[in-house]
Amino acid sequence: MTFAHPYLLLLLLLLPLAAWLQGKRGQPPAFVYSSVQLLRGVLNISRTNAGGFLPALRWLALALFIIALSQPRLTKSETKITASGVDIVVAFDLSGSMAAEDFEIRGQRVNRLIMAREVLKKFIEKRPNDRIGLVVFATEAFTATPLTLDHDFLLQNLDRLDLGTIPANQTAIGSALSTAINRLRELKSKSKIVILMTDGVNNAGKVSPLTAAEAAQALAVKVYTIGVGTQGQAPVPTRDMFGRRVYQMQPVEIDEDTLSKIAQRTDGKYYRADNAARFEAIYTEIDKLEKTEADVKKYAQHQELFAWIISPGLALLLLEILLKHTVWRRLP
């Protein structure tokens, strides 16, 4: 239970003082006599206490009136949180090279896809007020999840992503960035962000990465780029002739120069994620850099208790008046 005007409850503190002052002053005389000799015949009559509780009824009724004025109510609150004004699209590389297992999580070797997915999940969970979308790319780029505040839906789609979901022979970085920008183009957001994660070189698609970066700059879209994995060679799991799991070292090249230029042109930043700790630190830094005040709207449903408080007060006041003028009637 809450009170709409709780400060009115302070009036309850005045009731004991008012009762004491009235008792100190005493009851007003019913008759005034010129001499007490006229009352010698009734001097031995004792005063009755009948009706003595009538003033208590009035004070109790007054206390209930004060409580009713403070507007007591039972509150059932529902809070609706609107978007913070930051819209984020993550461009997620699903090319074949993401199978390289050069990361470790809790002592277990994992591939780049699993590592990137784990840190992205944590990032999403930290930003409940942001609209976040997901673009996946390899030979081509596709929108996996449009911008949404339904992060449960977003995380479900993220969990379904795996190598081979889309044709994965090449890496279309320019197409991925262009697709991500198109998701943000018509939005009037406080801040529009693309996080581009890749471990390769642009070798597919019709859009140059730097051309896409110029479009991002024109649309005030900030791009953070992340180079995923080690440079040079990385262990890629395969099967030998007996079906056993073995690792084969394959050459890996990350176009850090292009990724740095994309970030520089859009006022973003380029990061290199070559181990698990660094990967998590990158997303933590981006999370800190892109913060705004969230717009929170609260809707509350109240069940007013005014009638339930005022009714007993009126009943007590009526009872006091009836008893005062009937059973315990006294001289005026």
Side-chain angles (χ1 to χ4, degrees):
M1 187 174 70
T2 60
F3 295 89
H5 311 292
Y7 55 88
L8 291 178
L9 294 175
L10 295 174
L11 295 176
L12 292 173
L13 300 176
L14 299 179
L15 295 184
L17 177 62
W20 177 77
L21 291 175
Q22 185 182 35
K24 185 177 181 181
R25 187 178 61 179
Q27 295 290 336
F31 293 98
V32 179
Y33 291 90
S34 59
S35 174
V36 295
Q37 298 296 327
L38 300 174
L39 299 177
R40 288 187 178 275
V42 295
L43 288 178
N44 294 326
I45 298 177
S46 61
R47 184 175 182 178
T48 177
N49 291 324
F53 73 97
L54 292 180
L57 292 179
R58 180 165 295 186
W59 290 116
L60 181 57
L62 186 56
L64 291 173
F65 293 159
I66 293 174
I67 294 174
L69 285 174
S70 66
Q71 201 175 344
R73 56 196 182 180
L74 295 176
T75 304
K76 297 179 180 179
S77 295
E78 180 183 358
T79 301
K80 181 181 179 181
I81 302 177
T82 63
S84 66
V86 178
D87 289 331
I88 303 171
V89 177
V90 180
F92 200 99
D93 191 346
L94 286 182
S95 61
S97 57
M98 291 289 284
E101 296 185 359
D102 47 0
F103 288 97
E104 284 190 7
I105 299 179
R106 293 179 290 273
Q108 183 178 358
R109 180 179 289 183
V110 296
N111 62 36
R112 297 171 177 178
L113 170 65
I114 294 176
M115 185 69 229
R117 188 163 54 194
E118 288 300 310
V119 293
L120 180 55
K121 283 182 180 179
K122 294 178 182 178
F123 177 77
I124 292 171
E125 290 170 356
K126 290 179 180 179
R127 309 203 52 114
N129 302 324
D130 299 333
R131 290 192 298 182
I132 302 177
L134 183 63
V135 168
V136 295
F137 67 98
T139 304
E140 297 179 77
F142 304 91
T143 298
T145 308
L147 284 158
T148 180
L149 280 169
D150 187 353
H151 291 179
D152 289 335
F153 171 69
L154 175 64
L155 291 172
Q156 289 173 7
N157 282 347
L158 183 60
D159 283 331
R160 284 196 287 265
L161 297 180
D162 205 348
L163 297 173
T165 303
I166 59 176
N169 295 329
Q170 295 175 296
T171 306
I173 296 175
S175 296
L177 182 55
S178 178
T179 302
I181 294 169
N182 281 334
R183 306 306 308 185
L184 298 165
R185 182 176 56 185
E186 302 296 332
L187 302 178
K188 299 184 183 297
S189 312
K190 294 179 182 177
S191 184
K192 294 184 282 189
I193 305 216
V194 171
I195 300 175
L196 174 65
M197 294 188 292
T198 183
D199 68 340
V201 177
N202 184 73
N203 53 18
K206 297 180 180 179
V207 181
S208 163
L210 296 182
T211 300
E214 291 176 1
Q217 182 182 23
L219 295 170
V221 176
K222 188 182 296 185
V223 182
Y224 291 97
T225 55
I226 302 175
V228 181
T230 57
Q231 189 76 281
Q233 289 188 329
V236 178
T238 186
R239 298 287 177 181
D240 64 11
M241 59 184 300
F242 301 105
R244 295 174 299 185
R245 180 183 173 90
V246 295
Y247 289 95
Q248 181 180 356
M249 299 302 292
Q250 292 187 1
V252 176
E253 182 182 359
I254 301 173
D255 191 353
E256 294 191 275
D257 182 60
T258 297
L259 295 178
S260 297
K261 288 179 179 178
I262 292 172
Q264 185 178 4
R265 288 191 182 185
T266 60
D267 293 326
K269 189 174 181 179
Y270 168 66
Y271 298 94
R272 182 63 188 283
D274 52 5
N275 60 68
R278 178 58 183 155
F279 214 148
E280 293 185 359
I282 289 169
Y283 269 99
T284 299
E285 182 175 334
I286 295 174
D287 178 56
K288 292 179 180 179
L289 289 173
E290 299 298 335
K291 287 288 190 183
T292 63
E293 293 290 333
D295 297 323
V296 180
K297 294 183 180 179
K298 294 184 179 181
Y299 300 91
Q301 181 181 0
H302 301 295
Q303 180 183 350
E304 298 292 344
L305 301 179
F306 178 85
W308 294 96
I309 305 297
I310 200 72
S311 296
L314 291 172
L316 290 175
L317 183 60
L318 180 60
L319 178 62
E320 190 260 344
I321 293 173
L322 288 175
L323 293 177
K324 183 178 179 180
H325 290 84
T326 56
V327 179
W328 287 296
R329 186 176 182 181
R330 62 183 179 85
L331 292 173

